[in-house]
Amino acid sequence: MLRVETLQVRRGGKIVLADVTLALLPGEVLGVLGPNGAGKSTLLGALCGELQPDQGKVWLDQQELKHWSGAQRAQRLAVLPQLSTLDFAFRVEEVVGMGRLPHQTGRVRDDEIIEAALQAADVGHLIGRSYLSLSGGERQRVHLARVLAQLWPGETGQTLLLDEPTSMLDPLHQHTVLQAIRTFADRGAAVLVILHDLNLAARYCDRILLLEDGRPHALNTPLQVLQPGPLKAVFGLDVLVQPHPERGHPLIIAR
């Protein structure tokens, strides 16, 4: 389990994230929401070890994250940053196969996992294509397949961190990607996903962390967090909130 206690991060002498205490639970999708500059990507950077906190500690199970070796960490923790780029003409399946590098499961098993991850991210039809020939949205889904392959099939003790995985995607593939992430969590993995779309967060997340100016404003279920009061306070947005007519989760409508 990945957890942080009283986390604080400074950049350029300014506190950009503070007072974050959080545990990512097995089988859970935790959505992180907030305006631009609220500290979402900073939080993800601290959770994966890219940024060192000024205060507080990040724990993976019973050991501080910084004490895990790179290979051990990569077998338990996968990260999809906001921008993932490659400048070489790797084939799509080779890019996804990079997620298997921390493991020693054998070529046949790795090929099976790569195929499954490609299908989960709905990019199986791109096998054989050069990564450089793909659109932005296709590249984004290929990188999702890569991090899914890194932890495949997803189980208790593994954690997936995703920074805006739907940002370049059309509406259909936004749902395709989040359904894949939801399925991954349902197998036991813990997932943290940064999102901007309130309704996608309401549908696919178990809990929501709402950040404001680098500090938690709310942490609870979508039903508790995605309400007119908190959304007005954090986003300055006037909304109506109604139950989804079929699924029952909050449906947020801008006034």
Side-chain angles (χ1 to χ4, degrees):
M1 181 174 68
L2 191 68
R3 58 188 173 90
V4 295
E5 299 172 358
T6 59
L7 187 71
Q8 179 176 294
V9 178
R10 290 178 180 266
R11 281 184 169 176
K14 178 184 178 182
I15 296 175
V16 294
L17 192 69
D19 303 329
V20 177
T21 295
L22 181 68
L24 304 186
L25 305 177
E28 174 187 63
V29 177
L30 173 68
V32 181
L33 303 177
N36 295 334
K40 303 182 295 297
S41 294
T42 299
L43 173 61
L44 187 142
L47 289 175
C48 72
E50 178 184 330
L51 297 175
Q52 292 301 314
D54 297 280
Q55 292 182 23
K57 297 178 179 179
V58 181
W59 298 83
L60 183 58
D61 290 339
Q62 303 306 312
Q63 184 171 306
E64 282 190 64
L65 183 64
K66 64 183 180 182
H67 296 315
W68 285 76
S69 72
Q72 288 177 322
R73 182 188 301 187
Q75 292 174 13
R76 303 286 300 277
L77 178 65
V79 184
L80 182 66
Q82 196 172 84
L83 293 175
S84 300
T85 59
L86 286 172
D87 295 326
F88 299 96
F90 292 109
R91 296 192 307 275
V92 163
E93 59 271 29
E94 291 175 323
V95 176
V96 178
M98 293 175 185
R100 300 304 303 162
L101 294 177
H103 305 275
Q104 296 180 354
T105 49
R107 177 64 182 272
V108 172
R109 179 57 179 150
D110 283 351
D111 285 348
E112 293 173 350
I113 291 171
I114 291 166
E115 170 68 19
L118 284 162
Q119 296 302 329
D122 195 24
V123 285
H125 62 289
L126 299 178
I127 290 175
R129 290 270 302 276
S130 166
Y131 172 83
L132 297 181
S133 73
L134 305 181
S135 70
E138 289 171 333
R139 292 183 183 189
Q140 191 169 26
R141 283 150 50 209
V142 167
H143 282 292
L144 173 67
R146 174 178 55 80
V147 295
L148 293 180
Q150 183 178 332
L151 301 181
W152 194 268
E155 59 187 13
T156 301
Q158 294 182 322
T159 303
L160 185 60
L161 305 177
L162 307 158
D163 194 347
E164 297 188 41
T166 61
S167 61
M168 298 183 187
L169 304 183
D170 59 61
L172 172 62
H173 285 109
Q174 289 177 357
H175 286 278
T176 299
V177 161
L178 288 170
Q179 285 166 356
I181 292 166
R182 177 73 261 176
T183 299
F184 210 72
D186 290 342
R187 298 191 193 112
V191 178
L192 180 146
V193 56
I194 295 173
L195 294 169
H196 278 295
D197 189 302
L198 302 177
N199 284 305
L200 289 176
R203 176 166 177 173
Y204 291 102
C205 297
D206 299 295
R207 287 191 298 160
I208 301 289
L209 170 63
L210 187 58
L211 289 176
E212 180 185 18
D213 294 329
R215 287 174 167 78
H217 182 92
L219 174 60
N220 213 315
T221 65
L223 183 62
Q224 295 295 321
V225 174
L226 299 177
Q227 291 295 325
L231 296 180
K232 175 66 173 178
V234 172
F235 292 101
L237 185 66
D238 289 313
V239 300
L240 295 171
V241 180
Q242 300 178 347
H244 189 285
E246 294 182 351
R247 296 179 175 272
H249 61 70
L251 184 63
I252 298 94
I253 306 165
R255 287 182 176 272

